[in-house]
Structure formats: structure tokens, C-alpha cells
Amino acid sequence: MKESQLRFPLPTILIYALAAGLWIVLSDRLLELFTSDPHALTTLQTYKGWLFVLASTLLLYSLLVREFRRLSESLIRRRKAEENLRGTEAQYAKLVAEIPVGIYRLRMTTDDEMKFEYVSPRFCEMLGLSEEEVYANTQVFFRTIHAEDLDLFLRLNHEVFQTRQPFLWEGRVVVGGDTKWLLIESSPELVENGDVTWNGIQTDITERKRAEEEKEMLLAQLTQAQKMEAVGRLAGGVAHDFNNILSVILGYTELALNKMEPADPLRAHLDEVLRAALRSRDIIRQLLAFARKQTIAPVVLDLNHTVKGMLKILRRLIGEDIDLVWQPGSGLWRVKMDPSQFDQILANLCVNSRDAIANTGQVTIEIANVVFDKAYCDLHAGSIPGEFVMLRVSDDGCGMDKETLKKVFEPFFTTKERGHGTGLGLATVYGIVEQNSGFIDVYSEPKKGTTFRIYLPRHEGKADDTRPETETEIPKGQGETVLLVEDDVSILNLAGKILEGLGYAVLPAETSDAAIRLAKQHAGEIHLLITDVIMPGINGRDLAQQLLSSRPALKFLFMSGYTADIIAHRGVLDDGVQFLQKPFSTKDMATKVREVLDKV
């Protein structure tokens, strides 16, 4: 009997029955106990039936009241339990709806038929399906799985159903054209008739996968930067030592050629030595540019004007079969960099484009203003917030695959045939852009061409990119006295011979201390100090400062095989500093010495 039904306790009924029986049997005797008056006794015997009915009614009433009270309390408890159950179900439904994972129950029958017994709203939302679609046809779930991940999913699914092991899968699904990453986990449960159900959860891990991919990309960029930095340091050190050797080879070859007759049979051999030395010098300068140890003298440039002045040279460089398209920028901002460095960037990119085009094609050069905000840079690794002038060089050549793109800026990496490139062109571009606080973006696909975008920081200032006309003759000295300081004896002797041959009086010194003594001992005027930057003891800049205290009219020219913070910061020359890059030719030294001496 249910708790909500009327029921009377058995002991109560038995007591009631016993009392009733005793009353019937002993009623007369019991009445005599209450009174001895015959008239009263007769009256009580007359109404004893009614007394029995009254007592029975009172007893039955008390039983009914108690039972109704119990029934009422039972109904109240049941109502409360139902309300609690409904509240719990509502909380569960809310929890299932709001939890950031999808929940499902999948039943696998002994006939290998699958059917979803339960799916949560979030489960369907992740797949872009309705509950009706999922319940009606289990196969709609499989249709959402990415084509590249479907085979693995089905294989794992089959193995799990056969072995009844827990299921774990991480893969992609396609929802409304967008790709998501899902993690699905489930455990088996054996039910009646041999059927098996899998209770599982489905988690959207798209953001996590994107974060992992970004982390891997940033780690790859860091590794690449560290590798480039290490190679750069090595290149800088090698370049410094090799520049001294090249200075000697180049200088003495020129001196020998200047003393030979045009018909001398050895002249052709020395010409080859000179050309090889010049090519080597260009390679070393590319290494220095990559290592960001190339000494530069930045000026404010209008890149529209700079590119326009190079178009004739660039057209000859890429050849007649390739169309060169020039798209100048409107309202272009200025940049500050060494003009020769920009020439290197543009020439290297155009040569690269030329080599990527098999026969006929097109190379496009574009200049434009670009602004990057933080939101854009957060989504594009390598970008820097700010205002930039963009140089875009694109071609319709053979393009590059992803593996080639990863190595495109590495020094000595090239896709050209042996003997057709040093692999330093793009490494040089990379180093120059880094030295000028810019950044590079490159996009390429096989058979679809390549586009390089170089972003140089905007600089406020008036353009000053007028370049001096090239000297046709080597300028001579006018008997001026030059104090020459160089700790490498071979270069000291070479530079002394060149200067004397140009008509200068030379005071040679191997150390800074020797130079100070010579300056004190020399009675006449010393017009120019030419000194190496890095020397044992006192460096070139400190030497110049010491000599200026006693000879305030002294002018000075620094020379080095690579830059140093003594005269330049990050390779950028301090204002007013004159510099001669090693290795130098006779014409380089003659022109620079004359420029310094003639400067007011």
C-alpha cells in the first residue's frame, strides 16, 4: 500500500476489537461496579448500546484524524520531493546547457548499429547540427569530420568498438566552412542484450591549437633569429680579419698596376687579381650588412625620388624581356637610412625577381605609406606597431614552396645553380632592414610568383638624398701632412705608400702612444689624422680626442674592417664622424681624404 493511502495500524485495531468484545461480555458486570442503585443500573443498561456506539465513534474518529494527518504530511513531503526533483533536473539541464563541453551517449548494438541516445545542446552547437538531425541519423556526425582526419577517426572508432576500450580522438571538423579542432573522450558501458554504450564528452580545443601553433611559430622564429645572430657574429669576425688581408691584396695590386706599362704581359694577370679582390670585397660587405656590422651614414630619403633615380639601372639589371612596373606612393612619408643600403635592397630584390622569371615576365615596384596597430600585430607575428613606408617588390616568376621560404634569408642558401649566386643577396636585405629597425614580410607560392614587402620606420624631416657626383679622376694631395696610425704593419705600409703617391707627407705610427709622440715631436702642422678604430691600448676615437687638445685644427678620418660602438651605435655613424671602410682602393682613400681636408 502506498504511503498516500489510508491505513490503520494493526495493534490499534486489535485493541479496539478486544475492548469491544470485553464490553459486550462484561458490560453488565462493569455497570454494576459503577452503581448499586437498581434504578440507575437499569438506566445504564438501557443506554449501554448507545454508550458503546459513542465510544466506538470517538475511537474511530481519533483513528481517522491521525490517519488523515499522516496522509497530509505524506502528501506535503511528496510534493516537496517532486519540487526538489524538478529543481535538480532544471539545474542539471542548465549545467549541461552551459558547460563548455558537449555530452553524448552513443549505443552500439550487437548488430553493429550505432545510435545516439542523448546529445547535449552544446554537442550539437559545436557541430552546427540540430538535435533532430543527430538523433535521426548518426552518420551526419561523421560528415562533419575533416577529410584529412576522417580515415584515422574511423579506424580508431572501429578498434574501440571491437575492443570496448576507452575512446580518445583529437582532430578537425568543418562547420559552416570554418575548421574547428575537437577533443572527444568516452568510456564504454555494457548494457542489456550485449549492447554497449559510450558515455563521452566533446571539447572545442580550437583556441588551444591556435595558441600551440603560434607558440611553435614564435619558437621557430626565435630559433631562426638565434641562428642568424650566431652566423652574423661569425660573419662579422671573419669579415674583420679578411678585410685587412683584402686591403693589402687590393692596394698592392693597384700600386703594381699603376707602375706597369699597358702592354706588359703580366698586367692581364694582375687585372684578374684585382677583379677577384673587388668581388671578394663585395661579398665581405654583404656579410657585414647581414651581420649588421656595416657602418652606415643615414640621411632622410624620399623613396619615390630614390627609386625613380634607379629605374634606368634597374631596367638594365633585369633585362629587356622583363617588364618593370613602377608605382610611386602618394603623399609619401620620409625614411632615414643610408642611400647605398637602399640601393642594395632594391638591387638584390630585383635580381632575385629576374632570376625567378624563366623568359618574359613582370617585376613590380611599389612604394606606399602603411600604419600597423597593436591589434593587427597581435595577429601577425613579426609585425611592429607604428607608421612605416612600405617597399613592395613582386614578380610573376616560379615562386617558392614553404620549405624554401623558411630558409630564404639564411646566408649562403640559394636555389640557383652552382656558380650563379652566393646566397647572400636576401641575407644582406635581411641584415639591412634589421639594422634600420624595420621588418620584412614575404609571400610566395610555387608557379604564382613572389612578393617581398619591406617596412621602414617613418621619419619626420626634409629629404636630403642628393648624392655627390662620381669623381672621374683620382684627387691628389697638396703636400698636406697626414698622421697615419694602424697596428697592422702591412696595412700601415700600404696606406703610407698610397698617400705618398697621392702627394701627401706621411707620419706613420703602429700604436697610439707612438702617434702621440710623433705629434709632440713634429714641429710643423699636422692636417689630418687617419687612424684605425680598434687598436691595443688607446682606441682611435680617444686618440683623436687627446690630439685635439694640443692641435685643435686637426681633422681626422677613422678606418676599420667593421663597425664598432666606439664611433657608431648599431653601425650608424655619429654625427660629424668621417669613416673609411676597409678594404679600400686607392681611389676610395684619395677621395675620402680629399673630402675631409676640403670640408670647412
Side-chain angles (χ1 to χ4, degrees):
M1 183 180 292
K2 294 183 179 179
E3 185 182 7
S4 58
Q5 294 176 331
L6 285 172
R7 64 173 185 254
F8 297 99
L10 181 61
T12 302
I13 297 173
L14 290 175
I15 292 172
Y16 173 73
L18 179 61
L22 289 173
W23 177 261
I24 294 171
V25 175
L26 302 175
S27 57
D28 289 340
R29 181 61 182 159
L30 288 173
L31 290 174
E32 290 176 359
L33 292 175
F34 283 101
T35 181
S36 58
D37 185 357
H39 178 74
L41 183 61
T42 302
T43 303
L44 288 173
Q45 288 176 342
T46 303
Y47 291 103
K48 69 176 182 180
W50 290 104
L51 289 173
F52 177 76
V53 172
L54 177 62
S56 300
T57 301
L58 290 174
L59 179 61
L60 180 61
Y61 175 77
S62 65
L63 289 174
L64 287 173
V65 167
R66 193 180 72 171
E67 283 302 309
F68 276 114
R69 183 182 294 115
R70 184 193 60 76
L71 180 60
S72 175
E73 291 174 353
S74 174
L75 291 174
I76 291 172
R77 286 195 301 271
R78 180 175 179 179
R79 189 177 298 112
K80 288 182 178 180
E82 290 175 348
E83 290 176 354
N84 291 336
L85 179 60
R86 284 194 295 269
T88 302
E89 290 175 345
Q91 289 178 350
Y92 175 77
K94 183 179 180 182
L95 176 65
V96 170
E98 294 181 355
I99 195 171
V101 298
I103 301 174
Y104 71 91
R105 182 178 177 89
L106 180 67
R107 189 180 189 117
M108 181 75 172
T109 67
T110 54
D111 299 329
D112 291 339
E113 292 184 1
M114 290 181 296
K115 186 175 182 60
F116 283 106
E117 293 187 334
Y118 172 77
V119 289
S120 68
R122 184 75 61 160
F123 179 90
C124 299
E125 180 185 332
M126 289 181 186
L127 301 172
L129 302 171
S130 65
E131 293 185 24
E132 292 76 13
E133 288 178 297
V134 176
Y135 285 131
N137 184 5
T138 307
Q139 295 301 318
V140 297
F141 168 76
F142 297 102
R143 293 170 193 163
T144 64
I145 299 175
H146 194 283
E148 296 178 4
D149 297 341
L150 182 58
D151 288 342
L152 175 61
F153 180 86
L154 293 176
R155 187 166 65 253
L156 289 174
N157 203 54
H158 178 73
E159 291 175 359
V160 166
F161 284 154
Q162 293 297 320
T163 60
R164 296 180 181 179
Q165 296 297 315
F167 179 74
L168 178 64
W169 178 76
E170 184 178 289
R172 293 166 292 176
V173 295
V174 180
V175 180
D178 295 329
T179 300
K180 292 182 179 181
W181 280 89
L182 297 182
L183 173 64
I184 299 179
E185 304 170 86
S186 65
S187 299
E189 175 187 351
L190 184 63
V191 294
E192 67 275 6
N193 302 325
D195 294 353
V196 181
T197 62
W198 269 264
N199 301 311
I201 59 173
Q202 176 176 276
T203 309
D204 189 335
I205 59 171
T206 304
E207 292 302 321
R208 191 192 82 188
K209 295 297 290 187
R210 287 175 180 170
E212 289 174 355
E213 290 173 359
E214 184 177 357
K215 182 180 179 181
E216 289 178 3
M217 182 178 65
L218 291 175
L219 182 60
Q221 288 180 341
L222 175 61
T223 304
Q224 178 72 2
Q226 291 174 335
K227 180 170 64 175
M228 299 284 272
E229 182 68 22
V231 174
R233 290 182 180 180
L234 175 63
V238 171
H240 172 248
D241 295 335
F242 197 56
N243 268 336
N244 287 337
I245 300 170
L246 268 183
S247 295
V248 177
I249 296 172
L250 192 60
Y252 278 108
T253 302
E254 285 187 323
L255 289 176
L257 285 170
N258 289 338
K259 292 183 179 181
M260 293 180 69
E261 296 295 330
D264 194 311
L266 292 177
R267 189 177 184 89
H269 299 313
L270 289 177
D271 282 335
E272 288 299 323
V273 173
L274 182 62
R275 279 192 285 270
L278 291 173
R279 286 197 300 271
S280 300
R281 181 187 65 179
D282 292 339
I283 292 174
I284 293 300
R285 286 182 176 174
Q286 285 181 310
L287 279 173
L288 287 172
F290 161 71
R292 302 190 292 282
K293 293 183 179 293
Q294 182 183 31
T295 307
I296 58 175
V299 297
V300 181
L301 299 178
D302 179 344
L303 294 189
N304 275 343
H305 178 75
T306 305
V307 174
K308 185 177 180 181
M310 290 187 64
L311 289 178
K312 186 180 293 185
I313 297 173
L314 293 174
R315 285 194 172 95
R316 288 201 301 267
L317 192 65
I318 64 176
E320 297 178 355
D321 294 335
I322 298 175
D323 186 23
L324 180 62
V325 178
W326 161 230
Q327 298 175 352
S330 176
L332 198 65
W333 297 327
R334 305 291 188 259
V335 301
K336 189 173 184 179
M337 69 181 302
D338 192 313
S340 64
Q341 283 194 312
F342 186 78
D343 293 349
Q344 281 182 283
I345 290 175
L346 200 52
N348 278 319
L349 292 180
C350 286
V351 167
N352 233 52
S353 294
R354 178 200 66 189
D355 294 340
I357 298 173
N359 296 306
T360 60
Q362 180 175 291
V363 175
T364 302
I365 301 173
E366 179 189 0
I367 303 286
N369 297 332
V370 178
V371 179
F372 294 117
D373 57 17
K374 186 178 183 302
Y376 177 89
C377 296
D378 288 342
L379 297 174
H380 297 79
S383 302
I384 303 172
E387 297 178 330
F388 296 85
V389 177
M390 177 195 71
L391 166 67
R392 180 175 69 89
V393 178
S394 59
D395 63 68
D396 54 3
C398 61
M400 294 177 281
D401 57 26
K402 292 181 179 180
E403 290 303 315
T404 303
L405 279 174
K406 292 178 182 178
K407 303 177 182 179
V408 72
F409 294 116
E410 292 186 5
F412 307 114
F413 173 78
T414 179
T415 58
K416 301 172 186 176
E417 296 179 4
R418 188 171 183 178
H420 288 79
T422 62
L424 287 172
L426 292 178
T428 300
V429 171
Y430 176 87
I432 291 173
V433 174
E434 287 284 308
Q435 190 175 21
N436 286 276
S437 303
F439 63 96
I440 307 175
D441 175 59
V442 55
Y443 177 79
S444 185
E445 289 186 33
K447 299 180 181 180
K448 293 185 179 181
T450 303
T451 297
F452 285 91
R453 291 180 176 87
I454 293 175
Y455 301 96
L456 299 169
R458 177 185 182 181
H459 181 81
E460 298 288 351
K462 185 178 179 182
D464 183 26
D465 55 348
T466 56
R467 307 186 188 190
E469 295 183 3
T470 304
E471 295 280 352
T472 55
E473 295 183 2
I474 297 177
K476 301 289 185 179
Q478 300 172 8
E480 295 93 336
T481 300
V482 177
L483 177 57
L484 178 64
V485 189
E486 169 62 63
D487 61 310
D488 190 314
V489 178
S490 58
I491 297 178
L492 178 66
N493 294 334
L494 170 65
K497 291 180 185 297
I498 292 175
L499 289 170
E500 288 173 353
L502 293 171
Y504 297 99
V506 180
L507 300 175
E510 292 184 30
T511 64
S512 298
D513 292 338
I516 293 172
R517 288 195 299 270
L518 275 176
K520 289 180 179 178
Q521 296 169 2
H522 186 72
E525 183 180 359
I526 298 178
H527 300 86
L528 177 65
L529 168 67
I530 301 178
T531 178
D532 192 16
V533 177
I534 306 298
M535 295 185 297
I538 302 174
N539 63 57
R541 183 157 200 166
D542 291 343
L543 172 63
Q545 294 300 321
Q546 287 195 29
L547 294 178
L548 277 175
S549 61
S550 59
R551 293 178 179 270
L554 179 67
K555 296 180 179 180
F556 44 87
L557 172 63
F558 297 104
M559 58 182 180
S560 181
Y562 69 105
T563 185
D565 288 343
I566 295 170
I567 61 166
H569 177 63
R570 293 188 66 197
V572 180
L573 284 175
D574 297 341
D575 291 339
V577 173
Q578 300 295 329
F579 181 78
L580 178 63
Q581 177 75 53
K582 295 179 183 178
F584 49 79
S585 65
T586 300
K587 185 177 181 180
D588 292 336
M589 173 168 268
T591 303
K592 196 65 182 179
V593 169
R594 194 70 259 164
E595 177 187 334
V596 175
L597 287 172
D598 293 342
K599 191 171 184 178
V600 179

